[in-house]
Amino acid sequence: MKEIMAIVRMKRTGATKRALIEAGVAGFTAFKVTGRGKLLDHSEINVPCKEKLMGMAASDVIDRKESEEQVVTFLDDKRMFPRRMFTILAYDEDVPRIIEAIIKANRTERGAGDGKIFVTPVNNAVRVRTGESGDAAIW
Amino acid sequence: MQFVRAIVRPEKKDEVLENLSSGGFNAATVVDVVGRGKQKGIRMGDIYYDEIPKTLILVAIEDADTDKIVDIILRTAKTGTDGNFGDGKIFISPVEEAYTISKGTKGL
C-alpha cells in the first residue's frame, strides 16, 4: 500500500482529477497549500518569463525601475506560490500508472513550477464504514 | 529520501523558511493547520481552546541532510531559551520515490 502525494498547479486541479478517473482512481484528498521550489538559475526559463511579465506591466508607469524591481522579486523564488496537494492511497502495482497520469496532466510549456510527486509507504488503512483493514480498505 | 513535517507557530513560519533557504533548503510546502498537543490545548477560565492554529511545513530531503534540517528547525522555532509548550513538533517519515513533473524525471 502506498500514498502518493502530488503537488500541482491550482489551475490543473480539474485536469488532474479527470486524469485520475481515467487512470481508474476515484478517491483522493486535496488541500490548498503554498510552497516554493529550488532556486531557479536557468536563464532560458527566467529571461523569457521576465520579459513576459514586463510586457504585462502598466504602460503609463513612470518609474520603470520600480516595476522591474517588482518582477525580479516575483521571480527570486523565495516567495510562496499557491498549489494544490493531492494525496492518493493506492495499491503498489497501480503506483506507476497513477504517476504517469499525473505527470501527463500537469506538464506545461513553462516547465519550472509544475510540481512534485512523492511516494511514501503506508502500513495500514481502515475503512470506517465496515471496519475492514489492509488492502481491502483502499477501494 | 525523507519527508520532514514540522509543526511550528504561525509567527515563526517566515523565520523558519528564511533560515531553511539560507541553509540550502529552498523548496518547501506550507499548510495552515489547527491542532492540540499533550497539554490538551489552552484553558482560559472556563473555556478550553483545543484547536490552536499552527503552520505545517513539509520538506522532502535526501537522507544525509536530515540532521541538518532538523537542527535548523529546532533552533529557529524554539521560543525563549528553554522553549515553551506549543513550540511544535517535527516528524520524519520515509519517501520511496519522488518525481519532478516538469521534466518527468525521478529524484528531488
Side-chain angles (χ1 to χ4, degrees):
Chain A
M1 217 183 304
K2 299 270 187 269
E3 186 183 47
I4 301 168
M5 303 173 77
I7 297 165
V8 304
R9 289 183 193 275
M10 280 285 194
K11 271 190 169 175
R12 293 283 166 154
T13 310
T16 309
K17 285 194 280 188
R18 270 194 300 279
L20 285 176
I21 285 180
E22 276 163 28
V25 196
F28 66 85
T29 310
F31 340 88
K32 287 177 188 170
V33 300
T34 57
R36 63 185 180 196
K38 272 186 281 202
L39 280 170
L40 261 190
D41 47 7
H42 303 306
S43 51
E44 69 267 28
I45 298 175
N46 258 350
V47 169
C49 196
K50 215 174 268 184
E51 275 165 14
K52 203 173 161 192
L53 281 175
M54 285 303 288
M56 282 156 72
S59 53
D60 56 350
V61 176
I62 304 155
D63 195 354
R64 200 177 157 74
K65 215 171 184 176
E66 195 182 328
S67 50
E68 238 173 55
E69 215 175 84
Q70 278 178 3
V71 168
V72 170
T73 49
F74 189 73
L75 286 174
D76 75 349
D77 248 10
K78 281 205 175 176
R79 74 160 58 200
M80 310 297 278
F81 293 96
R83 288 289 183 273
R84 186 78 69 164
M85 182 154 90
F86 283 82
T87 68
I88 304 145
L89 201 60
Y91 295 118
D92 292 3
E93 62 268 25
D94 289 336
V95 170
R97 198 157 48 86
I98 298 169
I99 286 170
E100 204 181 308
I102 297 173
I103 289 179
K104 212 175 137 207
N106 282 286
R107 280 181 96 158
T108 63
E109 75 284 356
R110 245 170 298 179
D114 284 351
K116 278 255 192 298
I117 303 171
F118 303 108
V119 183
T120 57
V122 175
N123 285 335
N124 201 1
V126 179
R127 191 192 305 281
V128 174
R129 174 166 54 87
T130 54
E132 57 196 348
S133 62
D135 276 352
I138 296 186
W139 48 66
Chain B
M1 254 172 291
Q2 305 284 342
F3 232 136
V4 177
R5 296 162 208 246
I7 298 171
V8 301
R9 293 183 187 275
E11 62 267 30
K12 284 279 184 185
K13 177 183 83 175
D14 288 345
E15 207 183 320
V16 172
L17 288 172
E18 190 64 49
N19 284 356
L20 284 177
S21 186
S22 50
F25 306 102
N26 196 61
T29 304
V30 176
V31 198
D32 291 327
V33 294
V34 294
R36 64 179 181 198
K38 259 190 284 194
Q39 294 75 29
K40 302 177 185 169
I42 302 169
R43 196 195 162 103
M44 300 280 252
D46 284 343
I47 306 164
Y48 250 116
Y49 294 96
D50 62 356
E51 291 192 1
I52 304 164
K54 297 281 171 208
T55 298
L56 175 65
I57 299 175
L58 299 163
V59 190
I61 45 159
E62 298 295 350
D63 293 351
D65 292 328
T66 316
D67 292 342
K68 202 175 158 197
I69 198 164
V70 167
D71 183 57
I72 292 175
I73 299 171
L74 283 181
R75 257 190 301 114
T76 318
K78 191 163 155 182
T79 56
T81 44
D82 298 327
N84 290 295
F85 290 136
D87 282 351
K89 280 258 190 293
I90 301 175
F91 305 109
I92 297 167
S93 51
V95 177
E96 293 183 342
E97 295 164 40
Y99 296 85
T100 303
I101 292 177
S102 55
K103 298 189 201 90
T105 52
K106 228 170 166 169
L108 284 179

